[in-house]
Amino acid sequence: MAQELYQPPKELVENSNIKAFMNKHGIADLDILLDKAQDLDWYWGEVAKELDWFKPWDKVLDDSGAPFFKWFTGAKFNIVHNCLDRHMNTPVKDKIAFIYESEPGEVERWTYEQLHKEVNMFANGLKKLGVKKGDRVTLFMPMIPQNPIAMLACAKIGAVHSVVFSGFSSGSLRDRILDADSKVLITTDGAYRRGKVVELKKNADAAMAEAPCCQHCVVFKRAGNDVPMTEGRDIWWHDLVDGLSDECEPEPLDSEDMLYMLYTSGTTGKPKGIVHIHGGYAVGTYSTLKFVFDLKPDDVWWCAADIGWVTGHSYIVYAPLMNGATSILYEGAPDFPAPDRWWSIVEREKVTVLYTSPTAIRMFMRHGEELPAKHDLSSLRLLGSVGEPINPEAWRWYRDNIGGGKLQIMDTWWQTETGTFMISPLPITDLKPGSATRPLPGVKADVLTQDGNPAKPGENGLGVLLKPWPAMLRTLYKDPDRYVQTYWSRFPGKYLTGDSVAKDEDGYFWFRGRVDEVLNVAGHRLGTAEVESALVAHKDVAEAAVVGVPHEVKGDVPKAFVTLKVGVEKTDALKDELKKWVATEIGKIAQPDEIEFRDKLPKTRSGKIMRRLLKAEALGQPVGDVSTLDE
Ligand code: WTA
């Protein structure tokens, strides 16, 4: 394990929000805070006080129905009141909430007041369509301001949103509408992607044709492409809100009332509807963003994810707005029209905190350091990473080439299910490249062996969460049994993350990947991510995906699919070199049995490499469901 340690600069530590919280409570250092915050009622109760509650809670945590935990019971609350309404009496009212940049290059600046009014009008529009508290509404929209506006409008009146990533097929959309039994679908005529118009309404029409529960479709005019409108069912957004009031009181909800569902893939083909609620989710997202990314009033925050995934829900929409932050919302592809699009946005808008994925970082690495070097990125003060283990090579490249050789990187480990960051550095944490460091305050995590004993330092095992947390999923929609089965049955009373992870002597967590991406080579556990990390550390390699293929003696052996940097020749000599390289980087055990060069690796639309497809290919098996494949 890496011995490098990156200590935060004194100035970052001293001015950090987490330090201010510690000072307020007379807490001298991080270890004392982590220890004290194991008193969940104290810690979560303290941070919850910073939000606005219509009626305070009787109890912080109610674990009487475990694993169906409840938080802030007895309280009345609405997350949207905390995102928008409460700012109307403060200077945040005139602050920019979203700097929106479209793919073709238009820029819109939305103040909190404008956003508030627009949300109110649309909420009134939804009411006009008959949407009531508890009704489900599906969103199928690109990354435009109307996407968060529609989400917030639903939540404001107590309706439940289900956002379906706009890159999904009509069949996936139909299945999600049907499962949620949604009354209304919100979409756009089209969306821009790499200069072309993607016809969203066409997919929406195909989905609705087989989803009779959906009574109305609201269409926002975005791309201007011709779309058929079905009389009585379809209505333009601008016609719906025409003449409606821009005032709408937030519905006073119970903390545990449902906020949204978000579908994510599990081990079976059927997606799981992860259920999140208003109160605890608000407390968790608000406080983790404030403490981990240290947002200050003049920061410009850019979470470069898509709103169709949990990262966008929590850290583009809800948490930044509750914090009164200014965020970037970018519609298009990162490499359009050129691979320095992001860096031109950072330079022009003086972005201060950037949060992205290792996949994006490796893509930028592949294009070389000349592109970021052409731009002034000196406004940046903190960086973040999420979604997969970040290999130390990419970590260092990110720090050196985007972070000017000095910025700290917050490698946040979490899941759709957790709702918020769980294991992550704070600005006061010493960093080790490739490690998400330690559990955040109020979180208790561990690594267990297959038989449920604590793993030894450095030993790979199963990641578990030992205590509930406020933003945790409440259940799987309409499937409470699967909720218990998937997360709480392997080790009763403990939440199973499904991740393979090791904890080092300092208590730092090193995530290896999903359990199903872990190989057993000659009795040794080996994360495919470890082999990939070694491969991409080679000077000629751009990206690598490793799968396990069965071997009669060794159990599994790794097979690697590799893309090379621009201009590098695909030779057998290089294959041999790479095999030896891995053997020297990790050990002979990790040496790939076979290496295959590819021009491209198959990825999901959220940017994750689909190892499952490569594995099926390597084994000559059918590839199964490919609805999430990028192209
Ligand atoms: C992986 C994304 C290593 C992990 C927020 C988890 C990570 C899955 C990290 C959840 C990280 C996420 N380091 N692995 N910092 N962050 N993961 O639901 O395997 O799309 O279980 O949520 O991504 O993916 P999901």
Side-chain angles (χ1 to χ4, degrees):
M1 286 183 191
Q3 290 307 306
E4 286 168 271
L5 201 65
Y6 292 81
Q7 289 172 328
K10 199 162 175 280
E11 201 197 316
L12 178 67
V13 174
E14 289 312 317
N15 296 323
S16 65
N17 291 336
I18 191 70
K19 194 80 188 177
F21 179 85
M22 287 158 65
N23 290 342
K24 182 176 160 203
H25 296 283
I27 295 170
D29 68 36
L30 181 57
D31 286 319
I32 301 177
L33 171 66
L34 295 178
D35 198 41
K36 189 166 160 57
Q38 288 303 319
D39 178 350
L40 303 184
D41 283 1
W42 172 76
Y43 178 70
W44 293 115
E46 262 325 295
V47 297
K49 283 183 196 160
E50 295 182 21
L51 297 176
D52 222 10
W53 301 76
F54 302 134
K55 175 173 174 274
W57 54 90
D58 303 324
K59 230 177 160 181
V60 173
L61 168 63
D62 173 1
D63 57 6
S64 58
F68 298 92
F69 296 93
K70 290 182 177 160
W71 290 82
F72 305 102
T73 49
K76 288 284 177 192
F77 185 83
N78 188 310
I79 196 169
V80 181
H81 170 77
N82 282 276
C83 290
L84 297 172
D85 299 65
R86 76 155 171 167
H87 299 312
M88 294 305 113
N89 307 314
T90 75
V92 175
K93 179 180 173 190
D94 299 316
K95 199 177 158 176
I96 304 292
F98 287 118
I99 300 169
Y100 162 64
E101 177 157 325
S102 73
E103 194 183 81
E106 301 105 322
V107 177
E108 291 173 11
R109 289 167 206 280
W110 287 72
T111 66
Y112 272 83
E113 186 183 22
Q114 286 170 319
L115 195 64
H116 178 243
K117 287 188 169 162
E118 205 73 15
V119 166
N120 288 346
M121 279 203 275
F122 196 66
N124 289 328
L126 289 175
K127 284 186 187 166
K128 202 166 95 180
L129 291 178
V131 177
K132 295 192 189 59
K133 180 180 163 183
D135 286 345
R136 275 82 53 213
V137 175
T138 297
L139 275 64
F140 187 60
M141 303 178 82
M143 286 278 288
I144 57 174
Q146 286 69 27
N147 189 338
I149 287 167
M151 290 164 74
L152 292 159
C154 290
K156 190 157 202 182
I157 63 172
V160 172
H161 60 71
S162 163
V163 178
V164 177
F165 176 60
S166 62
F168 273 124
S169 66
S170 61
S172 307
L173 175 61
R174 173 203 58 215
D175 292 347
R176 286 159 175 78
I177 295 173
L178 286 172
D179 188 73
D181 195 17
S182 285
K183 219 173 178 174
V184 174
L185 175 66
I186 305 168
T187 189
T188 65
D189 49 358
Y192 286 101
R193 194 72 185 172
R194 293 201 170 87
K196 295 201 187 78
V197 173
V198 184
E199 298 188 80
L200 290 192
K201 177 65 164 52
K202 210 172 175 178
N203 281 343
D205 282 331
M208 282 185 294
E210 293 168 4
C213 56
C214 191
Q215 298 158 14
H216 292 287
C217 179
V218 184
V219 188
F220 182 80
K221 202 186 231 352
R222 165 69 192 105
N225 49 313
D226 255 347
V227 294
M229 297 289 279
T230 301
E231 184 81 38
R233 186 194 71 182
D234 300 351
I235 180 163
W236 289 105
W237 177 300
H238 55 262
D239 289 334
L240 178 68
V241 299
D242 188 36
L244 293 183
S245 159
D246 60 11
E247 283 173 29
C248 171
E249 286 303 311
E251 184 78 25
L253 301 167
D254 290 342
S255 320
E256 287 290 321
D257 275 337
M258 200 166 154
L259 170 62
Y260 69 77
M261 68 178 85
L262 183 58
Y263 290 93
T264 184
S265 37
T267 44
T268 72
K270 188 176 183 292
K272 305 181 281 195
I274 306 290
V275 170
H276 284 294
I277 54 76
H278 274 252
Y281 177 80
V283 173
T285 50
Y286 164 80
S287 60
T288 47
L289 182 62
K290 174 174 173 175
F291 291 146
V292 172
F293 285 107
D294 199 36
L295 290 191
K296 302 284 166 35
D298 49 4
D299 271 315
V300 178
W301 160 248
W302 188 3
C303 167
D306 193 287
I307 293 177
W309 312 113
V310 74
T311 307
H313 280 59
S314 294
Y315 297 108
I316 296 177
V317 182
Y318 290 109
L321 295 175
M322 281 186 281
N323 276 280
T326 297
S327 295
I328 302 284
L329 185 65
Y330 169 56
E331 180 187 31
D335 53 355
F336 188 86
D340 64 344
R341 179 72 185 259
W342 277 22
W343 315 128
S344 70
I345 296 175
V346 170
E347 179 172 26
R348 195 191 60 233
E349 298 299 340
K350 301 200 170 37
V351 173
T352 58
V353 188
L354 176 68
Y355 183 40
T356 182
S357 66
T359 293
I361 296 162
R362 288 192 296 264
M363 182 201 81
F364 292 126
M365 271 175 90
R366 189 174 180 198
H367 288 292
E369 50 233 41
E370 301 77 27
L371 288 176
K374 281 201 313 205
H375 296 272
D376 177 5
L377 307 180
S378 62
S379 55
L380 288 170
R381 67 176 197 91
L382 207 53
L383 301 175
S385 172
V386 62
E388 34 177 337
I390 180 164
N391 49 300
E393 188 73 7
W395 195 100
R396 284 184 217 105
W397 188 92
Y398 192 27
R399 178 172 165 110
D400 288 344
N401 295 287
I402 309 304
K406 57 176 197 279
L407 297 188
Q408 295 293 90
I409 299 169
M410 304 294 109
D411 176 3
T412 62
W413 178 88
W414 60 299
Q415 308 177 304
T416 306
E417 290 88 339
T418 69
T420 51
F421 312 147
M422 299 299 283
I423 298 177
S424 162
L426 289 157
I428 62 175
T429 308
D430 293 345
L431 306 178
K432 302 183 187 185
S435 169
T437 77
R438 298 199 282 167
L440 287 171
V443 174
K444 193 166 174 76
D446 206 356
V447 181
L448 302 181
T449 60
Q450 297 290 337
D451 35 327
N453 297 311
K456 292 193 279 292
E459 186 187 354
N460 283 342
L462 301 169
V464 289
L465 299 169
L466 300 179
K467 288 185 177 178
W469 62 101
M472 66 194 300
L473 77 163
R474 293 308 193 260
T475 189
L476 296 178
Y477 190 66
K478 289 197 297 208
D479 206 349
D481 293 344
R482 190 174 175 196
Y483 166 73
V484 177
Q485 179 59 34
T486 308
Y487 305 105
W488 301 96
S489 65
R490 175 77 195 262
F491 305 117
K494 300 178 174 113
Y495 171 92
L496 185 73
T497 64
D499 274 23
S500 166
V501 58
K503 202 166 64 165
D504 69 16
E505 302 74 16
D506 300 325
Y508 276 48
F509 285 70
W510 297 80
F511 284 92
R512 308 296 189 202
R514 301 293 300 181
V515 172
D516 43 14
E517 288 167 13
V518 173
L519 317 183
N520 196 327
V521 185
H524 300 270
R525 296 171 63 96
L526 175 71
T528 52
E530 290 174 82
V531 187
E532 290 166 5
S533 175
L535 283 167
V536 292
H538 187 276
K539 65 178 181 6
D540 293 335
V541 174
E543 279 204 301
V546 172
V547 300
V549 291
H551 185 278
E552 48 182 343
V553 182
K554 300 180 188 170
D556 285 333
V557 287
K559 166 166 183 174
F561 295 84
V562 168
T563 64
L564 297 172
K565 288 202 177 132
V566 179
V568 178
E569 237 190 286
K570 300 173 183 143
T571 62
D572 286 340
L574 182 55
K575 282 186 185 171
D576 288 339
E577 187 183 322
L578 291 177
K579 286 183 191 172
K580 290 198 190 104
W581 168 265
V582 175
T584 47
E585 285 285 293
I586 309 178
K588 189 90 173 121
I589 173 97
Q591 178 171 315
D593 225 39
E594 201 184 328
I595 289 185
E596 200 174 24
F597 292 131
R598 288 286 172 96
D599 290 326
K600 248 184 171 181
L601 297 177
K603 299 223 177 111
T604 64
R605 294 176 181 121
S606 63
K608 284 185 191 162
I609 296 169
M610 287 183 89
R611 292 179 185 76
R612 187 171 60 76
L613 276 191
L614 293 167
K615 182 160 182 151
E617 247 185 82
L619 300 179
Q621 289 168 349
V623 294
D625 172 29
V626 290
S627 64
T628 57
L629 188 67
D630 192 20
E631 56 199 65

